[in-house]
Amino acid sequence: MSEELPNGWVWATVEDLLAEKIINGRSVPTQEGGFPVLKLNAIRDGHIDPSVAKEGAWTEEEAKPYVLSPGDFLLSRGNGTLSLVGRGGLVSKGCKVAFPDTMMRIRVNPDLIDGKYFCLMWNGPLVRRDIESLARTTAGIYKINQGILRNISITLPPLVEQRRIVSALETELSRLDVADQQLAQAQARLVHLRARFVENTCLGRGREGVESSAQLAPAAVDDGMVPSLPAGWEWKRLQEIADVVGGVTKDARKQSDPDCAEVPYLRVANVQKGVLDLTQVNTIRVPREKASQLELLPGDVLLNEGGDRDKLGRGWVWEGQIPGCIHQNHVFRARVRDGAIHPKLLSWHANEFGQRWCQANGKQSVNLASISLSKIRLLPVPVPPEEEQVELVKKLENAMAVFDRTAEQLASARAKATDLRRALLNAAFTGKLVPQDPSDESAAALLERARSERASAPKPKRARRSTIKTSTRLASAADVRAPEDPQPVHAGEQTALEF
């Protein structure tokens, strides 16, 4: 709270701005035909999408205290990603949907603060800084509670200035949104163009001349429609041109065995599409003979065996970056025999045609996809004549350099848009976006009036709490009167005690 504020502005806590108490949502199991309740991902870019909901095991009457109203602000109570905990959205219109226990509801006093201003401020850099510094973590989940929220401070301008700020921000942010969307679309088109260029080059498409009459030998796999190749090219199964092996399985018993060699090894996380990420390479203890058998050599092609479905078959070429490095069992190693195909051509092919082929021939469990060693050995590979391979590699390397530069430029432009958004929000919430008007009623006066009204308002009567007398305080027999016509209470009709 060290920022110097313009005249008429004050710092206020969320507690100062509340129209009623913050409440947590309710945990509700899914039940077909029940009253709808939001899912956590209904909070989207500062608004609430009521269509992102499930049917809950409660009635409309039970859900009533949690049903959305216009102006409600909902935020996430916890998330595995720090930047997402506490993110919130404004409810623009009422709808028949309630919010769950993964969210909290804030209702602000509209005489003090504009709902849109609050939403923009809340998701802006000043409040995000406080939330991320105050969030607590348990078992990898970042959480915030009502006590934290009530004490978060925000800048409060005069109410009419808040509306001017909202108007200016909506105009400028909408322009940034359009620009960012166009950049994101350009990135997606670039990825698509890159993939098509690689695949077409690896399959010899666009080359003049007659087609090859060579056929792919059938095998016990789903090859789909195998494209034709230019004259002189051949389809080969991967096992015909390379030795393909699996990696080492981690054995907890060997990790403390001093007779085993401790060596670096590559995991699925290290083997990316078209690149090896070696920023974090772990070590493992394995028998020395095994380490020698699995040691990677320059030119080895690494292909992923499992993980998410889109990771099957992806990989790149090892260039000897780390001496003595091996690979785990979820990464295959293909070592080309007798220079049958350039390793980069093989890897580029595996990253496009090969990934789709692996998805068709792999298996899928609930959270994991994989392809067996016996099947990956049957991957169809187009093999150009040796004299053409050097030309193709040079063509692809030149094109990849262009694609990489373009991707960097697009990423840089999006990063600048993000920085501009942050600067715009900072300016807005420190009084530097729109001019101040001395005739506006100050925020301090608004706060003082709201506090006075709150202090003079009649205290709400507390509902009497039902209690159960124990045997330590027995009622006098004279005070106990039997009803004139006692009626039994049937199962399911008891009234719940209020706690």
Side-chain angles (χ1 to χ4, degrees), residues 114 116-117 120 162-171:
D114 181 89
K116 290 183 178 179
Y117 177 90
L120 289 165
Q162 292 175 36
R163 292 167 183 154
R164 293 199 300 271
I165 291 171
V166 168
S167 178
L169 276 177
E170 287 181 334
T171 299

Side-chain angles (χ1 to χ4, degrees), residues 18 76 254 309 443:
L18 294 178
S76 63
K254 291 185 173 65
R309 196 161 187 81

Side-chain angles (χ1 to χ4, degrees), residues 19-20 23 35 38 47-48 50 63-74 89-99 104-108 115:
E20 56 185 71
I23 68 169
F35 193 84
L38 294 175
H47 72 278
I48 302 299
K64 191 174 181 180
Y66 309 97
V67 173
L68 304 186
S69 296
D72 285 353
F73 185 79
L74 300 180
L90 192 66
V91 178
S92 58
K93 59 182 179 180
C95 48
K96 293 183 67 173
V97 62
F99 64 98
M104 275 187 272
R105 183 186 71 199
I106 295 177
R107 284 180 173 169
V108 295

Side-chain angles (χ1 to χ4, degrees), residues 282-329:
N282 297 340
T283 61
I284 189 171
R285 286 189 176 273
V286 295
R288 297 180 187 280
E289 183 181 359
K290 190 72 171 178
S292 178
Q293 291 173 352
L294 294 177
E295 182 178 357
L296 295 171
L297 300 178
D300 285 346
V301 176
L302 298 167
L303 305 169
N304 278 334
E305 171 267 347
D308 296 334
R309 196 161 187 81
D310 64 349
K311 294 180 176 61
L312 296 185
R314 79 174 186 187
W316 191 236
V317 182
W318 180 251
E319 296 175 332
Q321 296 94 321
I322 303 174
C325 191
I326 65 173
H327 55 105
Q328 72 165 172
N329 58 313

Side-chain angles (χ1 to χ4, degrees), residues 38-116:
L38 294 175
K39 298 178 182 178
L40 184 57
N41 58 349
I43 301 175
R44 297 186 174 180
D45 298 325
H47 72 278
I48 302 299
D49 185 349
S51 67
V52 184
K54 65 177 183 179
E55 294 177 326
W58 55 357
T59 65
E60 184 171 353
E61 186 62 28
E62 291 171 325
K64 191 174 181 180
Y66 309 97
V67 173
L68 304 186
S69 296
D72 285 353
F73 185 79
L74 300 180
L75 57 98
S76 63
R77 296 175 59 192
N79 202 288
T81 302
L82 181 59
S83 62
L84 295 180
V85 66
R87 286 284 180 184
L90 192 66
V91 178
S92 58
K93 59 182 179 180
C95 48
K96 293 183 67 173
V97 62
F99 64 98
D101 64 328
T102 55
M103 300 181 187
M104 275 187 272
R105 183 186 71 199
I106 295 177
R107 284 180 173 169
V108 295
N109 183 347
D111 294 330
L112 276 175
I113 188 165
D114 181 89
K116 290 183 178 179

